[in-house]
Amino acid sequence: MPINPHNRGPLRTMSVLILLIVGLYGLLGAVSTWGTAQRTPKLGLDLSGGTQLILTPTVPKGQVINQGQILKAVDIMRARANGSGVTEAEVSTQGGKDIVVSLPGTPDPAVVSSLQKSSQLQMRAVLVETSAAPTPTPTPTQSGVSPLKPTGTATSKPVATSTATPAPKSGFPPALAAATTPAPAPKTTPLVVPPTATPGQSPATAPNALAGTASDPKQVTPELEKQLIALNCADPKAVEKISAEPKNKPMVTCSADGQAKYILGPAEVLGSEIADATSGAQSNQSGPTGVYEVRLNFNGAGTTAFCNVTSRITPLTPPLNQFGIVLDNKVISAPRSEAALCAGTASITGSFTAASSKVLADQLKFGALPLSFTLQTSDQISPTLGGDQLARGLLAGAIGLLLVVAYSLFQYRALGLVTVSSLLIAGLLTYGLVTLFGWSQGFRLTMAGVTGLIVSIGIVADSFILYFERVRDEVRDGRALRAAVETGWNRARRTILISDAVNFLAAVVLYALAASNVRGFAFTLMLTTIIDIIVVFLFTHPLLSILANTKLFGQGHKWSGLDPKRLGARTVTYAGRGRVTIADQRAAAEGIQS
């Protein structure tokens, strides 16, 4: 059967929606079959229960905890939990000092561990870097100078660059540097110590130029060298004894993966001075480069401090041109600086993947915890609402949906079936996306989120009603149905977009300002608003355009919902498939009679 040429455009539009749905559920099926996803939405703390941790702050003797520190810790812990993909986590205080963290479901042990640890992030200049493999104890010489030699070649490290444009000639150096990919460290790397100055060495790399700075080689005392040699990064007890205090003194530590050991200078940039950290694929004027990066933004104090450290270490020889990023008293990254970065932004590149770059960005963003905590209790908690409340919420949604369907069929008759089918398509997309976000973003559906989905039924139906009423107005004005569908769409489209934009902005503001499970309501409202636009543009309008070319709707049948007599049109009816008005038909009949 040949396709009506007027239906080809709408069918092509609807095919895009079909591909979108097939792709969505195909991806969901793949990640649930071969991955870790589940085929139903994840439920939040109020519906599925979870784990409750009570954390008690630990402070040195003689120090007093203030309320500001506790509130800062609450904000950072909440950001850490949600930044790790555990949404709808609840963090509150108890007794003025203890912090209660409630995590939905069965949380990842790594998330629980990150909440317990004291995590004060610091950036320190690298003085010495060596492999964590056992190193033979050096034989003392008569001069007392360590016989440990600098290596001839340094292993490549992540690179700190800037995303800013090159600075003008006002004294600020260029802020762009090439990124290199780090190579694996050799299995046996001798201890790297600061090289001594030679006659041909530039003043910037001479030890005298570094005197009194955090990169001063004289800080590497024989005692620190002995500590470095004795440190066993494979021994958990030895690693636990490492301390990043005091901040104004050098420290000996391990890398987070246990593959390298460091002597680091005093702390120069603190985690509290990092305003934001994000990750993603690096791009240039030609487009994406395929290299993942971690982008940093500093506050005022951080900009000055980072400018000072990168300006000093950039011209130095390895490993003095590196700075160690210390978290939990271990080095999580040790990028080298290739430019003085004074614009308040920087980019760390290296052998990152999408996952590893996000992990580092989260560590940098949420690493500055003002207090350390010990775990007091860890208990499983039951859902505060449970399946009974969820069933009632779903029942309320089903009743609301049935009322919308009943009203649509009563008011629009056969045209109401377009509303019903559009709601089904919207529900299909919503279910798939909520389930997929549970796997990819850790989104959990709480009772507030369920409420948002119920409210969205009316919002979605409102768009359909607005469109139908515009079409019916055009029919009342004497237009043929196919022309009424297109003219009514042109008039309704702008109003639908404005209405959805207002709803979306309101949801964004609520999401940004609200806390706890209220954000779940805002998130579902944002999601369903976007789905409403997709369904109206890719399904409702094309379907109505196709129906306008059918006999039932095109001839204005009384059960079509577009009967001109029922709508009060005095001078119009349909002829054929709605392409001829009654005035045209009458004029044609008079012409034949004459």
Side-chain angles (χ1 to χ4, degrees):
M1 181 178 178
I3 298 176
N4 189 322
H6 296 291
N7 293 340
R8 290 176 181 173
L11 288 174
R12 283 195 299 267
T13 302
M14 294 178 68
S15 65
V16 175
L17 179 64
I18 294 173
L19 291 176
L20 181 63
I21 295 175
V22 171
L24 172 63
Y25 278 88
L27 176 60
L28 183 59
V31 296
S32 61
T33 302
W34 297 289
T36 58
Q38 59 186 50
R39 298 185 180 182
T40 56
K42 289 184 177 180
L43 300 180
L45 190 67
D46 57 347
L47 299 176
S48 67
T51 302
Q52 185 179 79
L53 310 174
I54 298 181
L55 304 173
T56 301
T58 302
V59 294
K61 292 182 179 180
Q63 293 189 11
V64 180
I65 302 172
N66 60 58
Q67 194 63 25
Q69 290 175 308
I70 294 294
L71 295 178
K72 179 67 174 178
V74 167
D75 291 339
I76 292 176
M77 283 188 177
R78 183 180 293 115
R80 280 188 190 179
N82 292 326
S84 300
V86 184
T87 57
E88 306 299 343
E90 296 182 2
V91 184
S92 59
T93 59
Q94 176 179 281
K97 64 174 185 176
D98 291 344
I99 293 182
V100 180
V101 182
S102 300
L103 305 173
T106 303
D108 188 338
V111 175
V112 178
S113 177
S114 69
L115 295 174
Q116 298 178 39
K117 293 179 179 178
S118 63
S119 300
Q120 296 189 9
L121 187 141
Q122 304 169 356
M123 291 187 181
R124 295 171 174 256
V126 175
L127 301 176
V128 175
E129 178 188 27
T130 182
S131 170
T135 305
T137 303
T139 303
T141 61
Q142 295 179 353
S143 62
V145 179
S146 172
L148 301 171
K149 305 293 183 181
T151 56
T153 58
T155 56
S156 299
K157 292 291 171 187
V159 182
T161 63
S162 172
T163 56
T165 55
K169 296 181 180 180
S170 59
F172 292 97
L176 291 177
T180 60
T181 303
K187 293 184 178 180
T188 57
T189 304
L191 182 65
V192 180
V193 296
T196 57
T198 60
Q201 192 175 24
S202 67
T205 60
N208 290 337
L210 302 175
T213 69
S215 298
D216 190 350
K218 293 181 180 179
Q219 298 176 97
V220 184
T221 62
E223 181 182 354
L224 288 178
E225 288 187 0
K226 290 179 182 179
Q227 293 179 20
L228 183 69
I229 294 172
L231 179 59
N232 182 7
C233 293
D235 183 4
K237 293 183 179 180
V239 174
E240 288 177 2
K241 294 180 180 179
I242 297 174
S243 176
E245 297 293 339
K247 297 183 179 69
N248 60 345
K249 298 291 184 181
M251 67 175 294
V252 177
T253 186
C254 300
S255 62
D257 59 7
Q259 299 299 310
K261 296 189 289 187
Y262 297 90
I263 297 179
L264 305 176
E268 298 184 80
V269 183
L270 303 180
S272 57
E273 296 171 339
I274 298 176
D276 193 19
T278 58
S279 63
Q282 193 179 59
S283 60
N284 54 27
Q285 295 179 350
S286 302
T289 62
V291 176
Y292 285 93
E293 65 176 351
V294 177
R295 296 176 288 271
L296 300 176
N297 290 284
F298 298 91
N299 60 20
T303 298
T304 301
F306 197 67
C307 177
N308 292 337
V309 65
T310 53
S311 298
R312 185 185 70 249
I313 69 175
T314 296
L316 303 182
T317 56
L320 296 178
N321 63 345
Q322 299 169 217
F323 58 89
I325 302 174
V326 181
L327 182 65
D328 294 338
N329 301 329
K330 296 187 290 292
V331 176
I332 59 174
S333 182
R336 71 173 181 270
S337 176
E338 290 198 339
L341 308 177
C342 300
T345 60
S347 169
I348 301 176
T349 57
S351 56
F352 289 125
T353 62
S356 63
S357 63
K358 183 181 185 302
V359 168
L360 179 57
D362 288 344
Q363 289 174 323
L364 293 171
K365 185 175 182 179
F366 307 128
L369 192 62
L371 296 170
S372 59
F373 289 85
T374 56
L375 180 63
Q376 183 176 335
T377 61
S378 176
D379 301 309
Q380 293 295 316
I381 56 176
S382 59
T384 56
L385 296 177
D388 182 55
Q389 293 294 328
L390 177 60
R392 293 184 181 182
L394 295 177
L395 178 61
I399 293 174
L401 182 62
L402 288 175
L403 290 175
V404 170
V405 170
Y407 172 80
S408 298
L409 294 177
F410 174 78
Q411 178 70 16
Y412 298 109
R413 303 194 179 187
L415 189 61
L417 296 175
V418 178
T419 300
V420 175
S421 56
S422 298
L423 286 172
L424 291 176
I425 294 296
L428 196 65
L429 287 172
T430 302
Y431 185 88
L433 287 173
V434 167
T435 305
L436 197 61
F437 280 137
W439 165 74
S440 63
Q441 304 297 324
F443 174 72
R444 290 180 176 270
L445 196 60
T446 63
M447 200 63 207
V450 173
T451 304
L453 295 179
I454 295 173
V455 171
S456 69
I457 295 175
I459 295 175
V460 173
D462 182 62
S463 298
F464 308 150
I465 293 172
L466 178 62
Y467 179 29
F468 295 160
E469 289 300 327
R470 291 294 191 188
V471 173
R472 285 152 68 101
D473 286 343
E474 295 299 319
V475 171
R476 292 187 184 97
D477 290 341
R479 292 186 183 273
L481 181 57
R482 195 167 69 229
V485 167
E486 295 305 320
T487 305
W489 170 247
N490 292 333
R491 295 178 59 189
R493 178 175 55 195
R494 179 181 176 85
T495 307
I496 291 172
L497 288 175
I498 292 174
S499 175
D500 283 338
V502 171
N503 289 331
F504 186 81
L505 289 176
V508 169
V509 173
L510 182 61
Y511 185 87
L513 299 180
S516 189
N517 55 13
V518 177
R519 303 184 75 185
F521 173 84
F523 180 83
T524 53
L525 204 58
M526 286 189 290
L527 180 64
T528 52
T529 300
I530 295 173
I531 290 175
D532 176 36
I533 294 176
I534 293 174
V535 172
V536 170
F537 276 73
L538 299 184
F539 182 77
T540 308
H541 170 54
L543 180 60
L544 198 56
S545 298
I546 292 173
L547 293 177
N549 295 313
T550 62
K551 183 176 180 180
L552 175 67
F553 289 89
Q555 291 185 352
H557 192 279
K558 63 180 181 179
W559 289 105
S560 68
L562 295 171
D563 180 11
K565 293 182 179 179
R566 183 171 179 270
L567 295 177
R570 299 178 180 177
T571 60
V572 64
T573 188
Y574 296 115
R577 296 199 174 187
R579 293 185 289 271
V580 183
T581 64
I582 191 170
D584 295 331
Q585 185 181 19
R586 185 176 301 165
E590 291 175 354
I592 293 174
Q593 292 175 357
S594 60

